[in-house]
Amino acid sequence: MSITNTPTSNDACLSIVHSLMCHRQGGESETFAKRAIESLVKKLKEKKDELDSLITAITTNGAHPSKCVTIQRTLDGRLQVAGRKGFPHVIYARLWRWPDLHKNELKHVKYCQFAFDLKCDSVCVNPYHYERVVSPGIDLSGLTLSTSAPSGLMVKDEYEYDGQSSLPSIEGHSMQTIQHTPSSRAAPSETFSAPALLPPSDASSSASSSTFPSIPVGSANATSTWTRTSFTPNIPHHQNGHLQHHPPMPHPGHYWPVHNEMAFQPPISNHPAPDYWCSIAYFEMDVQVGETFKVPSTCPIVTVDGYVDPSGGDRFCLGQLSNVHRTEAIERARLHIGKGVQLECKGEGDVWVRCLSDHAVFVQSYYLDREAGRAPGDAVHKIYPSAYIKVFDLRQCHRQMQQQAATAQAAAAAQAAAVAGNIPGPGSVGGIAPAISLSAAAGIGVDDLRRLCILRMSFVKGWGPDYPRQSIKETPCWIEIHLHRALQLLDEVLHTMPIADPQPLD
C-alpha cells in the first residue's frame, strides 16, 4: 500500500498498521513499534470512529481535530507490549510525537474526555490530545526545542547487551534523568542555561545560598525513588525520557549567573588539608574488587579507566583488577569502560567530572540533586561522553552538614522532652522540614551525614526507575568516591555539636 494513500477503519489491520508505522518517530525499535501499533489497531477495530480519528490524527500530524481514541484502563494503569510495561498514553506519544518523552511530562488538552489523569475506565491514547510540559523544579529559561534527533541515538542509548528494556515500569515515581551534553557538540539552537554547568574557568565560583532539603532518613535504601540525570551529545533537550541540561555555549548571556564574590572566599576550615583528597573503591555488583585507591592532594586530577597500568599515581586502572566471581555480563560491561572518567578537585574541595568514555556514566550526587530541584538521594544523573560537569560543592555540603546535625540534635532534644512529658510546641524544633517527623529527624545519624561526602558512579549501565536495576549495587561495575576534605569538615561539625546528657535506661 502506498504511503500517500491514507487508509480508513474499513481497511485491513495490516494496511492500517503499515500506514501508521510510516509516521513513527524512530525512538523505539521497529519490532516494538509494530507490536504496539498492531495491539492498538486490533483494540480499535470494533470502534471504527475512534480508529478513523487515530488515523486522521497520526497521518495529518494533528493538523485536523480528532476525537478521543480509547482503550480499557488496566488495574495498574499500565499497558504491556512485547514484554514491556508502560503507561499507554506515554507509549503512543513516544511512538508518534516525542521519542524522548518522560512519563511525567504529559498534560491532556481541555477537550480530552478520557485523559489518563481523569481516572476513567477508558484511557485516551490519542497523542494529539496531550501536550508536553516541563517537569517542575527545573529552570528551563532560554530553552529552545529541537524537532529531531540524530539517527544514531535511540530512546535507549545506554549500551545494550542484555536486551533489557528501558521503558519505565514503576508507578508513582516523579523521577527524571537530567541529561548534560558537551558544549562542543551542542548546537546553539539546542542550548539553555543550567546550574552547575559553568565553563571550566568559572568552575570554582558558583555557590548558592539557598538551603538544601533535609536528607530523608534511610536514604541509603531509597533507591526505588531515585531520579536519573544525564549529559548527552547533541541531541534534543529530552532523551530517553530524561530532561537534559546542555552546557552553555560561550556567550555571556547563556551562562548561569556567577556569584563572583564566592571565588575568593577564605577556606571553610583552618584545619590543614588532608594528604589525600579522595579515595576510590571499585565494585562489581555488591562486591568490592581490589584495594581502595587513594588520590594524593598533589594530584588534583585523577583518571579512572578500564585499562591495565598498575603504577597508580593519577590513574586508577580497573582493567588490571581480577575477580574470581566475575560473570560474563560484568566482563562485557567492563570492556566498555574504555577511557573512563576524569575527576578533578578544584579549590578547597569542589569536584568536577569529565566523561572520557564512549558510553555514559551514571552519578549519584546530592549537589546535582539540589541544582535540579530534587530531594537529596532522589536522582541518578546521566553524564554523556565528553560532558564536563560539577558534581560536588564543598560549601553547600558543609552548610547541609550543619543544618542536618543541628536539626537532628534539636529533634532528639524535643523527643526527649516529649518522653518526659514536656511536649514542645510546634515551633520549638527549628529547621525540621515539615515532611520529616520528629522521630525521623532525631534518627538522622552519622551515616546519613557521611553520605553527603560520598559520590557514586556506575559505568555503562544505569539504575533507577527507567532500568531493570533499582540499585547501583545491581550494576556490573561502579565506583564509590569518598571526599576527604568533606569528611574532615563533617568531623569538625560533629565535634562542635554539644552532646546531651545520656538518659538512664529503665
Side-chain angles (χ1 to χ4, degrees):
M1 172 177 175
S2 172
I3 296 176
T4 59
N5 295 331
T6 304
T8 69
S9 58
N10 293 320
D11 287 312
C13 285
L14 186 62
S15 298
I16 298 172
V17 170
H18 174 76
S19 176
L20 296 179
M21 280 285 288
C22 294
H23 294 272
R24 66 190 181 92
Q25 294 301 303
E28 295 285 1
S29 68
E30 183 176 355
T31 301
F32 178 85
K34 188 174 182 180
R35 292 278 292 275
I37 295 172
E38 283 177 346
S39 172
L40 180 58
V41 170
K42 288 177 181 178
K43 287 182 173 72
L44 297 175
K45 203 57 178 160
E46 300 304 318
K47 298 187 285 187
K48 293 185 179 297
D49 57 335
E50 293 188 20
L51 182 53
D52 282 326
S53 288
L54 175 69
I55 295 170
T56 298
I58 301 306
T59 57
T60 65
N61 294 324
H64 299 297
S66 53
K67 300 177 182 178
C68 285
V69 178
T70 62
I71 61 174
Q72 187 70 28
R73 179 185 291 270
T74 59
L75 289 176
D76 65 356
R78 294 178 293 162
L79 178 69
Q80 181 162 324
V81 177
R84 292 164 49 174
K85 273 196 170 186
F87 296 110
H89 62 311
V90 176
I91 290 176
Y92 293 107
R94 280 177 177 157
L95 278 179
W96 284 309
R97 295 195 71 183
W98 306 287
D100 48 5
L101 180 72
H102 186 268
K103 63 183 178 182
N104 295 324
E105 294 173 345
L106 285 183
K107 177 182 178 183
H108 65 272
V109 295
K110 293 181 179 179
Y111 52 83
C112 182
Q113 298 177 331
F114 297 94
F116 182 83
D117 292 337
L118 298 181
K119 307 296 184 183
C120 300
D121 290 338
S122 296
V123 177
C124 178
V125 295
N126 186 337
Y128 293 93
H129 277 205
Y130 294 89
E131 297 173 343
R132 188 173 189 171
V133 295
V134 174
S135 300
I138 309 296
D139 187 332
L140 296 183
S141 57
L143 174 64
T144 303
L145 294 179
S146 172
T147 57
S148 63
S151 58
L153 285 172
M154 310 296 280
V155 165
K156 180 153 179 77
D157 54 354
E158 176 196 26
Y159 169 68
E160 192 83 325
Y161 59 72
D162 53 10
Q164 291 171 317
S165 160
S166 70
L167 193 66
S169 61
I170 296 181
E171 284 189 272
H173 295 286
S174 58
M175 312 175 193
Q176 63 195 112
T177 294
I178 306 170
Q179 305 184 4
H180 304 253
T181 70
S183 57
S184 60
R185 301 187 189 181
S189 63
E190 295 172 316
T191 61
F192 68 92
S193 305
L197 293 173
L198 299 172
S201 61
D202 296 328
S204 62
S205 59
S206 177
S208 172
S209 59
S210 60
T211 56
F212 197 49
S214 297
I215 300 177
V217 175
S219 59
N221 298 322
T223 53
S224 63
T225 60
W226 282 356
T227 310
R228 296 185 301 114
T229 321
S230 314
F231 308 66
T232 73
N234 191 24
I235 51 182
H237 77 293
H238 286 272
Q239 175 69 22
N240 195 19
H242 320 129
L243 189 62
Q244 290 180 352
H245 286 213
H246 296 259
M249 296 300 290
H251 184 284
H254 287 281
Y255 289 149
W256 194 255
V258 177
H259 304 289
N260 290 323
E261 68 275 9
M262 301 296 289
F264 304 103
Q265 286 195 350
I268 298 173
S269 168
N270 293 324
H271 197 285
D275 293 334
Y276 300 92
W277 72 265
C278 79
S279 55
I280 307 170
Y282 170 65
F283 293 83
E284 292 177 358
M285 306 296 278
D286 59 350
V287 176
Q288 181 173 348
V289 178
E291 300 293 328
T292 298
F293 184 87
K294 293 185 177 181
V295 183
S297 295
T298 54
C299 293
I301 298 178
V302 62
T303 301
V304 183
D305 59 41
Y307 303 128
V308 295
D309 187 346
S311 57
D314 61 351
R315 279 182 66 195
F316 183 19
C317 295
L318 306 180
Q320 55 154 331
L321 302 177
S322 59
N323 177 11
V324 295
H325 301 294
R326 183 172 294 153
T327 64
E328 185 179 351
I330 293 174
E331 189 61 60
R332 283 199 298 266
R334 280 168 50 86
L335 293 174
H336 293 271
I337 296 175
K339 295 180 180 179
V341 295
Q342 193 176 74
L343 306 173
E344 182 174 1
C345 181
K346 293 197 172 193
E348 191 176 355
D350 294 351
V351 179
W352 288 66
V353 168
R354 188 188 304 276
C355 182
L356 304 176
S357 173
D358 292 333
H359 299 281
V361 295
F362 299 79
V363 179
Q364 180 191 352
S365 161
Y366 286 169
Y367 171 75
L368 289 178
D369 292 346
R370 177 198 167 281
E371 293 300 309
R374 311 293 301 192
D378 190 40
V380 179
H381 304 262
K382 187 173 186 179
I383 305 179
Y384 278 80
S386 300
Y388 179 70
I389 185 160
K390 185 177 183 179
V391 294
F392 181 80
D393 185 288
L394 186 67
R395 291 185 182 276
Q396 176 235 291
C397 178
H398 186 242
R399 287 194 300 269
Q400 180 64 3
M401 289 174 191
Q402 293 174 314
Q403 176 194 347
Q404 290 292 344
T407 295
Q409 187 190 39
Q415 199 174 44
V419 171
N422 181 20
I423 300 177
S428 61
V429 183
I432 297 180
I436 298 183
S437 68
L438 200 63
S439 60
I444 295 174
V446 174
D447 282 346
D448 297 289
L449 296 171
R450 191 171 59 87
R451 289 187 195 104
L452 292 170
C453 312
I454 296 173
L455 297 169
R456 285 178 162 184
M457 182 183 306
S458 70
F459 295 95
V460 183
K461 287 293 185 177
W463 79 97
D466 295 316
Y467 294 94
R469 301 162 293 276
Q470 294 308 303
S471 164
I472 194 172
K473 294 183 179 181
E474 298 173 34
T475 61
C477 40
W478 58 281
I479 55 176
E480 184 171 86
I481 305 153
H482 291 244
L483 303 173
H484 291 193
R485 184 59 168 172
L487 289 165
Q488 202 176 50
L489 295 178
L490 174 58
D491 189 68
E492 288 187 10
V493 169
L494 294 174
H495 272 91
T496 56
M497 295 299 297
I499 301 174
D501 294 332
Q503 300 295 320
L505 295 174
D506 294 333

